[in-house]
Amino acid sequence: MMLKVAIQMDPIEGVNIESDTTWLQAMEAQNRGYPLWVYDFRTLALEDGVLFCRARPVTLRQTVGDHVTFGDEVKLDLSKDVDVILMRQDPPFDMAYVTATYLLETVHPKTLVVNDPAEVRSAPEKLLVTKFPGLTPPTLISSDPVALGDFHRRHGEVVLKPLHGAAGSGVVRLKADDPNLDALVEIHAMGSRDPLVIQKFIPAVSKGDKRIILIDGEPVGAINRVPAKDQVRSNLRVGGTAQPVELTPRDLEICKAIGPTLKERGLLFVGIDVIGDYLTEINVTSPTGAQQLLRFTGVNAAALMWDAIESKRAG
């Protein structure tokens, strides 16, 4: 099947082609012969019910430092000129990001947007997990310093993180008797009105934070992200190390519990985070880990994603 594909992403000339998941998705599309354009979400424009953007056609090469050639910029009607839009710009999940989902919703599903923009908007990554009680560690989401303090006292050692943060940004571990919670809440409030997430610390994080990739609700494989010594953050962007790992019966149990919801909501390419026996995040905006999964296991999550997209377009 021939699909015309536009990718909404951060500048492609700046990606690390050896580790970036969006790059793998784009290269797989090119290998299938799909025409490709890239665009910045800030060029989206809605006029008289028509959504368009300024986009550039690209030719990609697996050559570090010389990986992309651009064609001339064009104006794309996103309801007519393309079949699929990949929404892959990185968070922060702020109002600009939310507004982009409203705009893309005007063309979906006539033009298939992956992931479904309305469902991305309705599924902040640290909130969606709360729909699955019993799978997550004790967790509180609030801006209220009294509620946050009470949770800290009841659960002892905790992790504090911004609700809409990404890539490990702002994640802090607090011991049971740590006196700094109030100050951290104040500092956060100076720069944001968003709530914070406070979660009971899971000691198993020292052995790694497992990223499991699901395609249309089905797990296809996992990598383990191990934090640096004496660190709580295992994200690869902040010093975590990727390692191969097998899916455990508990991992499969978690995937079975959440998979039907992901599929029903049009969340086709998802990365979940599992620490020990607990689901901690469901990442739907721009999940990573596909290149490491391919390197360790030979499983090409990008190819499986495009197989699923082709099936949906054919249906």
Side-chain angles (χ1 to χ4, degrees):
M1 174 181 289
M2 178 64 67
L3 298 174
K4 293 174 287 184
V5 177
I7 307 178
Q8 179 175 303
M9 64 181 295
D10 301 314
I12 195 168
E13 55 268 42
V15 304
N16 183 337
I17 68 171
E18 297 178 331
S19 63
D20 188 83
T21 291
T22 306
W23 175 261
L24 185 66
Q25 293 170 332
M27 280 295 291
E28 178 65 26
Q30 179 175 273
N31 291 341
R32 294 180 181 221
Y34 304 163
L36 283 178
W37 293 265
V38 297
Y39 71 93
D40 187 309
F41 76 95
R42 286 166 290 198
T43 73
L44 288 170
L46 182 66
E47 183 176 4
D48 294 331
V50 177
L51 183 67
F52 55 90
C53 70
R54 288 186 289 109
R56 295 180 291 176
V58 290
T59 302
L60 309 178
R61 294 175 296 279
Q62 197 68 35
T63 304
V64 175
D66 184 29
H67 58 273
V68 59
T69 298
F70 295 102
D72 294 335
E73 185 176 87
V74 296
K75 180 179 178 179
L76 289 182
D77 179 338
L78 292 176
S79 68
K80 295 180 179 179
D81 295 336
V82 297
D83 302 299
V84 178
I85 298 169
L86 291 188
M87 184 169 59
R88 288 288 305 180
Q89 88 269 15
D90 289 337
F93 191 76
D94 54 13
M95 281 308 300
Y97 208 115
V98 169
T99 300
T101 69
Y102 282 119
L103 294 174
L104 290 175
E105 196 177 357
T106 65
V107 300
H108 179 79
K110 179 182 179 183
T111 300
L112 181 65
V113 183
V114 177
N115 288 318
D116 183 319
E119 295 298 339
V120 168
R121 186 174 65 246
S122 300
E125 298 167 346
K126 297 175 182 66
L127 271 172
L128 184 56
V129 293
T130 65
K131 294 185 178 294
F132 302 98
L135 300 185
T136 63
T139 302
L140 173 75
I141 299 170
S142 181
S143 297
D144 181 14
V146 175
L148 293 165
D150 175 67
F151 184 95
H152 188 200
R153 284 187 294 275
R154 286 186 287 114
H155 291 285
E157 194 165 9
V158 297
V159 171
L160 186 73
K161 49 191 173 182
L163 177 60
H164 296 307
S169 175
V171 177
V172 179
R173 175 182 173 184
L174 296 170
K175 294 192 177 296
D177 58 351
D178 196 308
N180 293 308
L181 176 61
D182 287 346
L184 290 170
V185 173
E186 289 173 7
I187 291 169
H188 174 77
M190 291 171 63
S192 174
R193 295 192 299 175
D194 292 335
L196 286 157
V197 179
I198 190 168
Q199 203 164 62
K200 184 176 176 62
F201 175 69
I202 308 169
V205 72
S206 63
K207 298 179 181 179
D209 179 351
K210 193 175 295 183
R211 164 57 55 89
I212 303 173
I213 296 177
L214 296 94
I215 305 294
D216 209 18
E218 295 293 331
V220 300
I223 63 170
N224 199 34
R225 300 169 300 173
V226 180
K229 183 177 174 58
D230 298 326
Q231 294 293 315
V232 68
R233 300 184 297 174
S234 56
N235 307 73
L236 301 182
R237 294 183 187 176
V238 293
T241 302
Q243 296 179 351
V245 70
E246 297 293 329
L247 292 171
T248 67
R250 174 59 171 172
D251 297 333
L252 295 173
E253 179 185 353
I254 290 170
C255 292
K256 184 177 180 180
I258 69 174
T261 296
L262 301 180
K263 183 179 179 70
E264 179 184 354
R265 296 176 69 160
L267 299 170
L268 192 145
F269 191 90
V270 172
I272 68 171
D273 296 340
V274 175
I275 301 175
D277 289 333
Y278 293 106
L279 173 68
T280 60
E281 291 189 17
I282 300 176
N283 298 277
V284 303
T285 51
S286 185
T288 61
Q291 289 229 41
Q292 294 82 3
L293 179 66
L294 177 60
R295 191 174 305 126
F296 294 146
T297 69
V299 173
N300 189 335
L304 295 172
M305 179 195 76
W306 286 116
D307 289 346
I309 290 172
E310 286 185 2
S311 178
K312 289 181 182 299
R313 292 300 301 180

